[in-house]
Amino acid sequence: MTVQTQDLQGLDLRAEIDRLRKERNAVILAHYYQKAEIQDLADFVGDSLDLSRKAQATDADVIAFCGVRFMAETAKILSPEKIVVLPDMDAGCSLEDSCPPEQFAAFRAAHPDHIALTYINCSTEVKALSDVIVTSSSAEKILSQIPPEQKIIFGPDKNLGGYLARKTGRDMLLWPGVCIVHEAFSETELLKLQIAHPGAPIAAHPECPPYILDHADYVGSTSGILAFADSMPGDTLIVATEPHIIHQMQKAAPAKTFIGAPGADGNCNCNICPYMALNTLEKLYIALRDLTPRVEIEEGLRLRAKKSLDAMLAMASGTVGLGDLGPLKVSQ
């Protein structure tokens, strides 16, 4: 998506976005991995599913989702009557890309005795091929409700699946996908950082590979990491996830020091999600002005995908307040 920024010169983008938000009766959602300037003007900042459910509970006519495509699609699945716009439709996800629907369908067909637990970071088509969607905070709760003899496919994130398998003892067939952001962390550079900051705990997202998680004092979803950062007794935390989340940590606990875990080059620049970075204030303004690019999902596909989301919401009610899920009822 190309934005002619020269046409926007002289505009007070924040004021124009606020004006359009009111005129369109729009709600602006921003994921924790968005740039600080977008987080600061959003109505809600949070995890992908939590944001979709917050938007579902509002009377907004328009949802402007500053995140990536699968997140905006999830919002549309749950709120089909609302207009959903994504500032840049090229904002994809490496986990989604790693799991093409036709390949996942063939994989399922080759293992008919398995059910599919699928991480929410996937396309609508893959959600429609799945039995239960999970988030990083709800997956363990859901796994505990599945009979131990039931065989399970877990995708598309092999790191999250492997972490859950090690933690719960469940043997799962893992789809070989990874998040390019979390895969970029360097164990060597992380150990150097630990030496430079003795005693500082490490909080990591379970999308990280095992050689990072093995050093973590806390492993959890983005919401879980934020809660840990706020409640930990020390004053310094090393954070192994996309570094834009640190903006929320600094706002909640300005007296503490938060350090992004480094990549192989010794800094965290390679750990900035290139897809999340595609969203800008300029593109958000244009999306609200023109109500495009708009997320559209064929109704039959939407309903098939919604079944797997509803299954998760029904099974994960006990995770309220612990991560991605909020205190809303399962939609019908």
Side-chain angles (χ1 to χ4, degrees), residues 61 65 173 182 325:
D61 297 312
F65 209 127
L173 190 57
H182 293 90
L325 300 181

Side-chain angles (χ1 to χ4, degrees), residues 38-322:
I38 291 179
Q39 292 186 43
D40 287 344
L41 62 76
D43 296 290
F44 300 108
V45 181
D47 289 333
S48 59
L49 180 63
D50 184 42
L51 288 173
S52 292
R53 298 183 75 203
K54 282 189 169 74
Q56 183 185 28
T58 72
D59 62 357
D61 297 312
V62 176
I63 299 171
F65 209 127
C66 298
V68 295
R69 191 169 52 245
F70 82 81
M71 298 178 184
E73 289 179 354
T74 300
K76 186 66 175 179
I77 291 168
L78 295 178
S79 300
E81 75 288 355
K82 299 182 193 297
I83 294 170
V84 179
V85 294
L86 182 67
D88 193 321
M89 200 59 80
D90 289 332
C93 171
S94 56
L95 279 168
E96 177 182 342
D97 293 343
S98 76
C99 191
E102 63 279 4
Q103 292 182 25
F104 190 70
F107 190 67
R108 288 222 61 182
H111 301 91
D113 55 345
H114 289 60
I115 63 169
L117 263 65
T118 308
Y119 191 30
I120 197 168
N121 295 37
C122 64
S123 66
T124 299
E125 289 79 6
V126 168
K127 287 180 175 69
L129 292 165
S130 303
D131 296 291
V132 187
I133 296 301
V134 301
T135 64
S136 49
S137 60
S138 66
E140 189 174 350
K141 172 78 172 180
I142 289 170
L143 268 174
S144 71
Q145 299 172 60
I146 297 174
E149 65 274 12
Q150 175 62 59
K151 295 180 179 179
I152 297 171
I153 290 170
F154 188 94
D157 189 341
K158 70 175 185 180
N159 288 332
L160 174 58
Y163 168 75
L164 290 166
R166 292 191 301 275
K167 189 173 182 183
T168 66
R170 294 298 292 261
D171 183 21
M172 297 187 290
L173 190 57
L174 304 181
W175 183 268
V178 296
C179 167
I180 57 172
V181 172
H182 293 90
E183 195 76 2
F185 291 116
S186 163
E187 181 180 22
T188 300
E189 295 299 328
L190 181 63
L191 292 173
K192 289 180 184 176
L193 198 58
Q194 275 191 299
I195 292 170
H197 301 275
I202 297 171
H205 196 282
E207 290 178 26
C208 291
Y211 55 80
I212 297 296
L213 297 182
D214 286 346
H215 298 288
D217 299 277
Y218 176 83
V219 177
S221 68
T222 46
S223 293
I225 290 173
L226 283 167
F228 178 79
D230 190 45
S231 63
M232 69 169 194
D235 59 4
T236 302
L237 177 66
I238 298 170
V239 182
T241 190
E242 214 277 359
H244 283 109
I245 196 174
I246 292 175
H247 179 60
Q248 292 297 320
M249 295 176 178
Q250 291 171 333
K251 288 173 69 174
K256 294 181 180 179
T257 299
F258 302 105
I259 305 167
D265 61 353
N267 62 60
C268 63
N269 291 339
C270 60
N271 301 323
I272 292 174
C273 177
Y275 301 107
M276 291 282 187
L278 289 175
N279 296 305
T280 64
L281 290 182
E282 290 84 1
K283 293 175 185 176
L284 174 59
Y285 164 73
I286 290 174
L288 286 170
R289 184 191 69 188
D290 300 343
L291 295 182
T292 186
R294 193 178 298 197
V295 174
E296 302 287 0
I297 303 174
E298 187 272 325
E299 182 64 4
L301 173 62
R302 185 190 74 82
L303 290 173
R304 292 194 300 276
K306 186 173 180 291
K307 276 187 176 181
S308 60
L309 281 166
D310 282 346
M312 178 195 68
L313 295 172
M315 297 175 75
S317 58
T319 64
V320 168
L322 299 181

